[in-house]
């Protein structure tokens, strides 16, 4: 009798009353967590200590279902929250992921329970429809022909960049997918042109694709850390003279380091003249498109062939949630070419026409669009525009504060919500300034009031803040500067 294989404990684990109790336990803790707006940075726990704490919460008999323990669940959730990066605190100024709009977390919770992967319409009907709706909504800001563009969601901006570059390569070298390098002929050496400050995922994609990191043509930057469009042509000429066949030009709309926006219009000219695929990595900054005040930073975006847009950054939804846009629908089918009778149908019908499995790398994919669509459906674009505009204005204000401080050095005029600067008190030579920033960053991290990051600017370390939280105000930034001064004293 197979029934005897099923204990009561198995059924109990799936009981709906238990589900409600579990959810209430978790909810009450999350509510408290979100309500705590005290200034907190990162409290790093020794991994060995945390492993020990986590192990102590594991049931000793793991071979069969065990009686449920609500206290154990509460302890697991407490440990999870307590040891995490405090993205909701005004002390969190360090990275590009953020405290989410709480409702988006609630919708993500629904996704986790109903479990509807979204690469295929039959598995996730509403997610697939919501993807089309959000594609149309966002394309209003991009400006492509609504009948011809396409969008696919991917698990993160890195994967979106790889996917777009694959599509670009397969368009430039049509035999590559089937025959690999041998389709190229002896003399052809595919290459990619990027800004010197491009995100590392683009170079990684080149490595994955077999283009090779040494065939990345790094275009020089101007004094605003953007690709210098005037120098792009000679750099591309030089690459050709060296025997490289550049097939794609990648611009950044919001560089990771300083949030600089490459001049898309002028680079689109360059790409068009040379027949290059023009990819824009807007993982960080594409969200500025939803703001009437800030959209101009991406002027020329309508001339791109593809665009990466991370909603888990400046649209404040749970990670990952990335939208990869293509100007031409045919290009969106170019990255991958597969037959697989268990998922791909020979003939499309009205349902499978909504599938994205042929266009994204993932087979099982989170219905990541749902939190974004639900927020958009309920609040509209105003919520996002207001928050983004506040964060960018706050960053300008922080820059203005720094300009008045003699012991700080500003390094760029912020274009978005990323600001890099150095603490430069008297008595430190250039040689020591680099190490001083690294020491300050680490000391601030260990003090636990603020969390900031660091990045090399022009070859020397700088402190980096990313304003992702509308609870932060200029007063918090002043407090951070005081902490930096203290951390910068000889220890
Ligand atoms: C400009 C840029 N591109 C790509 C990425 C990678 O995105 P993800 O972390 O979603 O893979 C980032 C992440 O910081 C980024 O800033």
């Amino acid at each position: 009798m197979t029934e005897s294989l099923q204990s009561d404990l198995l059924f109990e684990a799936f009981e709906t009353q238990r589900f409600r109790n579990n959810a209430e336990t978790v909810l009450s803790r999350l509510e408290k967590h979100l309500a705590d707006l005290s200034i907190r940075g990162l409290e790093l726990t020794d991994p060995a200590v945390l492993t020990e704490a986590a192990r102590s919460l594991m049931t000793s008999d793991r071979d069969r279902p065990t009686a449920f323990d609500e206290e154990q669940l509460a302890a697991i959730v407490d440990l999870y929250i307590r040891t995490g990066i405090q993205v909701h605190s005004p002390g969190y100024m360090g990275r590009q992921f953020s405290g989410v709009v709480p409702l988006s977390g609630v919708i993500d919770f629904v996704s986790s329970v109903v479990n509807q992967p979204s690469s295929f319409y039959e598995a996730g009907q509403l997610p697939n429809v919501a993807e089309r709706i959000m594609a149309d909504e966002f394309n209003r800001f991009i400006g492509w022909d609504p009948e011809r563009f396409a969008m696919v969601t991917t698990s993160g901006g890195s994967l979106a960049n790889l996917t777009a570059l694959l599509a670009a390569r397969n368009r430039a070298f049509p035999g590559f997918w089937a025959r690999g390098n041998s389709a190229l002929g002896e003399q052809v050496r595919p290459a990619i042109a990027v800004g010197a400050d491009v995100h590392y995922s683009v170079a990684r994609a080149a490595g994955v694709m077999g283009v090779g990191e040494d065939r990345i043509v790094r275009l020089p930057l101007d004094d605003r850390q953007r690709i210098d469009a005037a120098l792009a042509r000679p750099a591309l000429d030089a690459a050709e003279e060296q025997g490289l066949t550049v097939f794609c030009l990648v611009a950044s709309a919001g560089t990771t380091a300083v949030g600089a926006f490459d001049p898309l219009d002028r680079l689109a000219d360059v790409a068009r003249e040379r027949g290059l695929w023009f990819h824009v990595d807007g993982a960080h900054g594409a969200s500025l498109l939803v703001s009437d005040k800030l959209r101009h930073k991406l002027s020329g975006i309508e001339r791109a062939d593809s665009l990466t847009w991370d909603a888990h950054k400046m649209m404040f939804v749970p990670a990952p949630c990335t939208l990869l846009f293509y100007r031409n629908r045919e290009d969106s089918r170019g990255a991958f070419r597969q037959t697989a009778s268990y998922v791909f149908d020979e003939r499309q019908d009205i349902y499978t026409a909504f599938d994205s499995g042929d266009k994204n790398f993932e087979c099982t994919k989170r219905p990541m669009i749902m939190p974004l669509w639900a927020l958009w459906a309920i609040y509209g674009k105003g919520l996002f525009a207001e928050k983004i505009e506040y964060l960018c204005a706050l960053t300008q204000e922080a820059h203005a504060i720094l300009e008045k401080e003699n012991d700080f050095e500003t390094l760029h005029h912020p274009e978005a919500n990323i600001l890099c600067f150095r603490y430069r008190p008297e008595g430190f030579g250039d040689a020591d300034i680099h190490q001083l920033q690294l020491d300050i960053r680490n000391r601030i991290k260990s003090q636990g009031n603020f969390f900031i990051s660091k990045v090399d600017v022009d070859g020397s370390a700088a402190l980096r803040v990313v304003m992702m939280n509308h609870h932060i105000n200029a007063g918090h930034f002043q407090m951070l500067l005081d902490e930096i001064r203290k951390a910068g004293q000889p220890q």
Side-chain angles (χ1 to χ4, degrees), residues 110-146:
V110 177
S111 292
S112 296
V113 176
V114 299
N115 203 16
Q116 301 180 1
S118 77
S119 286
F120 300 97
Y121 185 80
E122 65 180 27
Q125 300 186 49
L126 186 58
N128 276 284
V129 164
E131 283 190 8
R132 291 284 176 103
I133 294 173
M134 286 315 295
D136 286 338
E137 291 288 307
F138 281 6
N139 184 48
R140 289 194 290 129
F141 309 119
I142 303 171
W144 286 329
D145 180 347

Side-chain angles (χ1 to χ4, degrees), residues 96 156-158 161 199 201 254-256 281 283-284 310 312-313 322:
Q96 294 158 277
S158 304
N161 285 339
H199 187 260
S201 60
T255 56
T256 312
D281 179 359
H284 186 80
D310 270 359
H312 58 256
K313 294 191 166 75
T322 301

Side-chain angles (χ1 to χ4, degrees), residues 108-387:
D108 212 40
F109 169 68
V110 177
S111 292
S112 296
V113 176
V114 299
N115 203 16
Q116 301 180 1
S118 77
S119 286
F120 300 97
Y121 185 80
E122 65 180 27
Q125 300 186 49
L126 186 58
N128 276 284
V129 164
E131 283 190 8
R132 291 284 176 103
I133 294 173
M134 286 315 295
D136 286 338
E137 291 288 307
F138 281 6
N139 184 48
R140 289 194 290 129
F141 309 119
I142 303 171
W144 286 329
D145 180 347
E147 300 302 320
R148 297 197 55 203
F149 87 101
M151 188 281 285
V152 62
T153 56
T154 68
S155 305
S158 304
L159 193 54
N161 285 339
L162 171 63
T163 307
L165 291 179
L166 278 168
R169 190 211 44 200
N170 293 342
R171 190 176 79 178
F173 308 105
F176 201 103
W177 183 263
R179 288 181 287 129
N181 269 330
S182 61
L184 298 178
E186 290 282 295
Q187 302 304 319
V188 182
R189 292 162 65 208
I192 295 169
V194 305
D197 249 0
V198 76
H199 187 260
Y200 77 86
S201 60
V202 174
R204 180 173 284 190
V208 171
M209 288 161 57
V211 166
E213 280 222 34
D214 62 348
R215 290 202 209 136
I216 296 175
V217 179
R218 294 194 181 262
L219 303 174
L221 306 182
D222 63 15
D223 56 2
R224 289 167 61 186
Q225 324 275 358
R226 314 170 310 164
I227 294 178
D228 189 326
L231 297 180
R233 285 186 184 85
L236 290 166
D237 289 341
E240 261 172 45
E241 275 158 29
Q242 285 164 22
L244 299 182
T245 306
V246 176
F247 63 90
C248 181
L249 171 58
V250 181
S252 303
T255 56
T256 312
V258 301
F261 285 75
D262 289 333
L264 302 186
D265 235 342
R266 296 181 65 199
L267 293 170
D269 288 339
V270 176
R272 205 157 283 179
E273 273 162 35
R274 293 170 182 253
L276 309 181
W277 179 295
F278 185 35
H279 175 65
V280 176
D281 179 359
H284 186 80
S287 300
L288 270 61
L289 284 169
V290 306
S291 155
D292 296 341
K293 289 189 191 145
L294 298 166
R295 188 171 311 135
H296 66 93
K297 308 249 177 208
L298 289 104
S299 124
I301 187 64
E302 70 287 353
R303 300 176 65 200
D305 290 291
S306 50
L307 166 69
T308 294
W309 184 335
D310 270 359
H312 58 256
K313 294 191 166 75
M314 297 282 280
M315 302 297 287
F316 319 107
V317 295
C321 178
T322 301
L323 293 82
L324 169 60
F325 286 88
Y326 295 90
R327 180 154 48 92
N328 292 312
R329 190 159 300 154
E330 312 85 73
D331 288 336
S332 72
R333 297 193 200 98
F336 310 106
R337 302 204 186 124
Q338 245 96 41
T339 50
S341 56
Y342 41 86
V343 278
F344 301 127
D345 285 349
E346 283 164 26
R347 279 216 215 124
Q348 244 185 20
D349 57 27
I350 58 161
Y351 311 110
T352 56
F354 273 69
D355 290 353
S356 63
D358 56 340
K359 303 181 204 72
N360 50 243
F361 186 80
E362 307 94 320
C363 179
T364 305
K365 183 173 71 171
R366 254 189 103 68
M368 59 190 94
I369 203 74
M370 288 306 294
L372 180 65
W373 173 66
L375 288 186
W376 197 264
I378 290 167
Y379 292 111
K381 86 166 181 152
L383 177 80
F384 303 93
E386 192 174 316
K387 177 154 174 164

Side-chain angles (χ1 to χ4, degrees), residues 445-463:
K445 197 162 86 171
S446 62
Q447 278 158 11
N449 288 331
F450 288 93
F451 176 67
I452 61 173
S453 48
K454 50 99 187 159
V455 65
D456 283 358
V457 177
D458 295 329
S460 179
L463 303 172

Side-chain angles (χ1 to χ4, degrees), residues 44-94:
L44 276 184
T45 316
D46 178 336
V49 173
L50 187 52
T51 305
E52 190 56 39
R55 283 206 172 279
S56 76
L57 293 173
M58 293 171 72
T59 180
S60 49
D61 181 3
R62 287 193 274 281
D63 290 342
R64 67 195 125 240
T66 324
F68 179 70
D69 179 348
E70 193 81 34
E71 276 176 29
Q72 196 180 354
L73 169 66
I76 287 172
V77 176
D78 286 342
L79 186 67
Y80 194 3
I81 294 173
R82 185 164 49 78
T83 55
I85 189 158
Q86 301 297 324
V87 286
H88 296 277
S89 162
Y92 171 78
M93 301 183 191

